């Protein structure tokens, strides 16, 4: 297998249309704001000082990411695995972040890029209580680029199809990690789901 060069790419892909270039906007407009306010899930991408890249799923209630202005997003951080790879990248790496927002039932997605900083201001945390708990920190994104992706990827994947894979085809994540590492004890999916409910 031969790796492609930049010159090779130009022979394979046509130049994007003017409309595709123009759709990248410098701020959150009414359409992007509405999409973010309907979204319960996004993927956060960050880059580290060593050039590594991290992508992390983030979710909450509908509109859990707050649009604070045309160039500002506030994303609360809920309980997780405490690796904080994304946040280490924000404070130690480039600071650049990208968010890819999903809305169940809509095939288009929304990408938002900018620079991130972190805050643990008590008043800000108190204003974002969800699931009975304040967030541990808030990611503040100074937005510089916003654009919608067409729905082809989600249409091809049939992501929102009613046909779902039975959860039973995979062991619980706790069992998987136990078998991978030898640490902890295997637990059923039912027990894991009950634990999740107390840790949201």
């Amino acid at each position: 297998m031969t790796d492609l060069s930049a010159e090779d790419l130009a022979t394979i892909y046509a130049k994007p249309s003017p409309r595709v270039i123009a759709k990248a906007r410098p701020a959150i407009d009414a359409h992007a704001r509405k999409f973010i306010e309907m979204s319960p899930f996004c993927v956060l991408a960050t880059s580290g000082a060593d050039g590594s890249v991290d992508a992390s799923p983030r979710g909450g209630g509908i509109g859990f990411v707050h649009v604070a202005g045309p160039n500002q997003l506030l994303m609360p951080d809920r309980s997780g695995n405490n690796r904080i790879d994304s946040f280490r990248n924000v404070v130690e790496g480039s600071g650049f972040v990208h968010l890819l927002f999903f809305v169940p039932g809509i095939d288009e997605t929304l990408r938002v890029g900018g620079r991130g900083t972190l805050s643990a201001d008590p008043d800000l945390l108190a204003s974002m209580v969800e699931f009975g708990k304040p967030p541990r920190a808030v990611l503040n994104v100074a937005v510089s680029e916003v654009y919608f992706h067409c729905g082809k990827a989600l249409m091809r994947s049939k992501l929102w199809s009613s046909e779902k894979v039975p959860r039973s085809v995979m062991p619980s994540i706790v069992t998987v990690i136990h078998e991978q590492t030898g640490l902890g004890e295997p637990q059923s999916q039912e027990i894991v789901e009950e634990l999740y409910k107390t840790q949201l």
Side-chain angles (χ1 to χ4, degrees), residues 5-61:
S5 67
E7 291 77 16
D8 294 327
L9 293 178
T11 67
I12 297 172
Y13 296 95
K15 289 184 178 180
S17 69
R19 186 170 70 169
V20 168
I21 299 299
K23 74 176 184 176
R25 312 308 298 165
I28 299 166
D29 66 2
H31 301 293
R33 182 183 188 111
K34 181 175 183 179
F35 199 90
I36 294 167
E37 290 175 345
M38 293 190 298
S39 175
F41 176 80
C42 68
V43 176
L44 169 66
T46 59
S47 58
D50 60 355
S52 62
V53 176
D54 180 73
S56 174
R58 303 293 167 126

Side-chain angles (χ1 to χ4, degrees), residues 44-47 89-90 93-98 113-116 144:
L44 169 66
T46 59
S47 58
N89 286 347
V90 168
S94 70
F96 288 116
V97 302
H98 264 84
R115 279 190 174 273
S144 58

